[in-house]
Amino acid sequence: MAFLNATLLLGFLAAAIPLALHLLGRREPKRIPFPAVRFLTQRLQTNRRRLQVRRWVLLAMRIALLAVLAVALARPEVHRAATGTWLGIGALAVLGLVVVALAVWALAAGKAAAVRWGLAASGLGLLLLAGGWGAVAIANGPKPINQSTASAAVAILIDNGPTSGYENPSGETRLDLAREMATWLISRYPSDSRFAALDRSARPAAFALDAAAVQRRITQTEPLQSTRPLAERIEAAVRLLRTSDLPRRALFIVTDLSEGNWGAEESGGSESGGETEREAIDTALDQLIAEEPQVKVQVVDIGSASYRNRVLGELELADATPPRGVATTLSVEVAQQRSASDAEVPPAATRQLTLELRMFGDEAGLPIERDGETVYPPLRTVDRQSLQLGEGQPAQVTLTVPPLEIGTHHGLVALTEPDPLAIDSVRYLTVRVAPPRRVLLIADDPRQREILAAVLNPRGVEDPRREYDIDLGSSASLRDRSLEPYAAVGLFDPALPPTLVRQQLENWVHAGGSLFVALGPAVDAETGGGNISWPLVGSPQRIWRVRPPGTFLQIVQSGHPAVATFSSIPGGAPWNVHRVSLYWQLAEREAWSTVMKYAGTDHPALAERRWDAGRVVLLTTPLPALVPPADQWNDLLAAADAWPIFGLLHQIFEDLSGGRQSQMNVAVGQPVAVALPEQAASRFQWFAPDSPAVAIDAAEGVVVPGPPLVAGNYWLRGGGGERYGYSANLSAAATRLERVEPARLDALLGAENYRLVRNRDDVQWAEGEASDSRSLYAGVMLLVAALFLLEQLLSNRFYPSRRDSPLNDTSTRGAGADGKRTPVAAA
């Protein structure tokens, strides 16, 4: 047994008060004789012995009442395993008091001596038995942990993900509420406890030096955009608490319970293997919490079931690397997150909204660090659209990026109206306008070469807005041509080159070259349909013939740069219009990654393979297939609606020639590598939105600044004034404000391993439920009440009423020996 307020046991001293009053009241009064009444007879009280016994019982009852009241105020607690034992002790004590009360009643009623003394002995025996049993339970029973004075190991995990910046109508953010709750939680524990404050960062979990240090850590907590999964941080906190030798271990997870933080898709880095590791943590976390020594877990909900938030979806750029002087477009979805419990939408939520596209200027020498602050080029609005959100209906908005000069250009798209969660009301973008990239197109038919050049440069090969500087040639010209100047080389229905030319191509690819090959009938001319030994193009095995009406291309890897654009087209591209009757079957299929296949088969149509520093993209049917005998193989460009094939060829060469290698638009937490042109500087200043400029070096033409931690525009400025960079944005799932389903918490933590609380009273109640101690306060106070009632009953029997006093007995007042009424003198 333990006492919550042990110092109040000094109240036992109050039990001496009735004894002192009793001893003082025993002083005999002085006798003063009065001559006028000296001959009067004195009437003595009867049953003096009975009255004396009653007086001692009343004294004992009053002493017991004060003593038990002192015990009750000290708030005794017992271990939950001994609750049944103490209930039995209490029942035995109450039964003993009842029997004692019956003995007192028997004494007052003048019952037989056997009844009186039998009841008294039985009651006292029961009370002594209860006391002895209690003494044994205190000495040998499990000791409870005092929940207010015992030291504890306490970890507070603050969920400071992106949604913690949501501003409530009162003006406080959810993170403000989390910090207040964490501060109050610390104040509930003794100062010699061990505290740890954790958040969603990757900082290792460790105990603070003292409560003041952990309080400073809580005060300095800010919303994070690049976060670690909550399951990972909970596991770190549980493992830390289990290292403590203190008997009490408590973990408080202070969170808003939003889907963006607890959902299956949590924000954070996208390192390979991260999903598998996260699933393993989720599976084992509930078992870890339940293991001994057990950690008491409380999920403190500081969120709200009512919310409104306007959010911008991910930007979709029509061309992130547009030609010089050519405008491009971007589209973005504007939606409104709204809780189902909200009442009628107020006018402010349905009013007309304004979406702006702003681009930074081209002022030379900027950005730059001046007086500790970063000075950026001016931000100008280049396009603006007005929209009105319907009830539950998102709006798709298209904005135009104006024609730009050569270089890297940063901008943003933002809603101009204020929003409770401002972080997802803005999106950042980077556009790179590069000089025309030099490519080599090899085709033996002059008409094919002209078609291919027109596909890649639709405005003409001499247009200043062109994307490519194209050199054309035949298969025979490869023998005397150097491939070093070219960003990409395309072979269209090539004949099998001589061994020397094949070796030249292979060496160029191994060194980092990018090659596109569209196989056709010409490669089969020398072998007569046999197996072609050329690993660079998959060693074509045989020609596969498809019965009419033929097959068509089907996307397998929707995220591949060559086909990613088609994934965003409503309804998809009409690939089934472009029929294929003949194609090559590869002998080395396992070595190639299939990007597109032929419908109804698992045969690769468009495949990719990396060769050391270079790579090859292979189409297993000829292109453009407009000249016999290639025109019998497919009608990819012969069909009326041939735009998907033009777009596919354009995307392939944009990818191979380096148009997408610079990773200009990435997600927060995603690793970044910025590819630089050959003439670029080797040292840059790196300007991030959340930190001052730092120097960074390029290695082998690539700058690796590390994963971005916040959304924004990131600048790289060289000593010669050249500018590169990229933009980072939060994923759409990171700011989802929908409340997480309880089933998600049960699956992650285990339904019996945690308590969900919403305020301070809930915290105290849950902590009491999870404690190993049980309070006896209510039971002891019930015993106090029983003693009080018994004392009142006995005292009323002890002090006769005025009406029952012998002095008020009119039948005998003043009567003398002869029966005549005579005045009675006081004794």
Side-chain angles (χ1 to χ4, degrees), residues 63 86 89 130 154 162 178 193 200 207 215 220 227 240 274 312 339 364 420 443 537 564 692 703 737 753 766 779 786:
I63 292 174
W86 283 97
I89 294 172
V154 182
S193 298
R200 298 283 301 280
F207 286 111
Q215 181 59 58
Q220 295 169 0
T227 59
L240 174 67
L312 296 181
S339 57
V537 295
V703 174
L737 293 174
N753 296 338

Side-chain angles (χ1 to χ4, degrees), residues 367-370 372-376 682-698 703-707 709 714-719 724 726:
I368 193 172
E369 195 82 9
R370 290 177 182 168
E373 295 184 359
T374 303
V375 180
Y376 292 98
S682 60
R683 190 171 182 83
F684 294 87
Q685 273 192 305
W686 180 58
F687 297 87
D690 60 335
S691 60
V694 297
I696 189 169
D697 295 326
V703 174
V704 184
L709 301 181
Y714 291 78
W715 303 68
L716 287 167
R717 188 172 68 85
Y724 304 94
Y726 54 95

Side-chain angles (χ1 to χ4, degrees), residues 191-481:
S191 59
D192 58 346
S193 298
R194 302 202 66 186
F195 299 100
L198 294 83
D199 59 8
R200 298 283 301 280
S201 67
R203 183 181 301 179
F207 286 111
L209 296 177
D210 52 25
V214 78
Q215 181 59 58
R216 287 193 299 271
R217 172 75 186 278
I218 292 172
T219 304
Q220 295 169 0
T221 302
E222 296 294 336
L224 295 180
Q225 298 181 32
S226 178
T227 59
R228 300 304 304 165
L230 263 173
E232 175 186 305
R233 303 303 291 160
I234 295 172
E235 181 192 28
V238 172
R239 293 191 183 279
L240 174 67
L241 290 174
R242 293 182 63 186
T243 63
S244 174
D245 55 358
L246 295 176
R248 298 173 63 196
R249 300 172 183 86
L251 169 60
F252 296 93
I253 307 170
V254 188
T255 175
D256 63 356
L257 289 181
S258 65
E259 276 282 355
N261 296 323
W262 288 89
E265 297 181 2
E266 297 180 271
S267 60
S270 58
E271 300 176 4
S272 61
E275 290 297 330
T276 304
E277 181 182 355
R278 182 183 306 167
E279 292 174 1
I281 293 175
D282 289 2
T283 304
L285 187 56
D286 60 336
Q287 301 176 7
L288 177 66
I289 296 175
E291 289 178 1
E292 294 294 339
Q294 193 172 7
V295 176
K296 310 300 182 183
V297 178
Q298 292 191 42
V299 178
V300 186
D301 178 16
I302 48 88
S304 173
S306 178
Y307 58 85
R308 285 195 182 94
N309 178 40
R310 290 184 291 270
V311 56
L312 296 181
E314 296 182 5
L315 299 181
E316 296 179 2
L317 279 163
D319 190 355
T321 57
R324 175 186 178 185
V326 177
T328 187
T329 61
L330 64 86
S331 61
V332 61
E333 183 181 82
V334 185
Q336 179 171 253
Q337 297 180 9
R338 177 176 175 270
S339 57
S341 60
D342 275 356
E344 195 68 25
V345 180
T350 58
R351 67 186 178 189
Q352 195 172 35
L353 304 176
T354 302
L355 187 66
E356 290 186 349
L357 169 61
R358 305 167 189 165
M359 300 294 294
F360 287 95
D362 290 332
E363 281 72 8
L366 298 179
I368 193 172
E369 195 82 9
R370 290 177 182 168
D371 300 328
E373 295 184 359
T374 303
V375 180
Y376 292 98
L379 195 61
R380 303 183 180 92
T381 300
V382 297
D383 197 6
R384 180 185 292 113
Q385 292 286 344
S386 297
L387 67 146
Q388 188 167 357
L389 292 179
E391 182 63 25
Q393 296 293 328
Q396 195 75 24
V397 182
T398 300
L399 299 168
T400 301
V401 179
L404 300 171
E405 294 297 319
I406 292 175
T408 300
H409 303 269
H410 296 292
L412 58 90
V413 177
L415 287 168
T416 59
E417 288 74 18
D419 197 49
L421 187 60
I423 194 173
D424 57 4
S425 295
V426 59
R427 290 282 176 180
Y428 302 91
L429 70 145
T430 296
V431 176
R432 174 71 176 166
V433 181
R437 297 179 290 278
R438 191 174 180 185
V439 299
L440 174 63
L441 306 181
I442 299 296
D444 290 331
D445 187 275
R447 288 174 295 175
Q448 291 181 338
R449 294 196 292 266
E450 293 175 3
I451 293 172
L452 294 170
V455 169
L456 296 182
N457 282 335
R459 293 182 177 85
V461 295
E462 301 299 331
D463 193 288
R465 297 171 295 177
R466 67 188 184 277
E467 288 190 66
Y468 302 97
D469 283 337
I470 300 176
D471 290 343
L472 304 173
S474 63
S475 299
S477 66
L478 285 174
R479 182 187 301 271
D480 302 320
R481 188 184 295 269

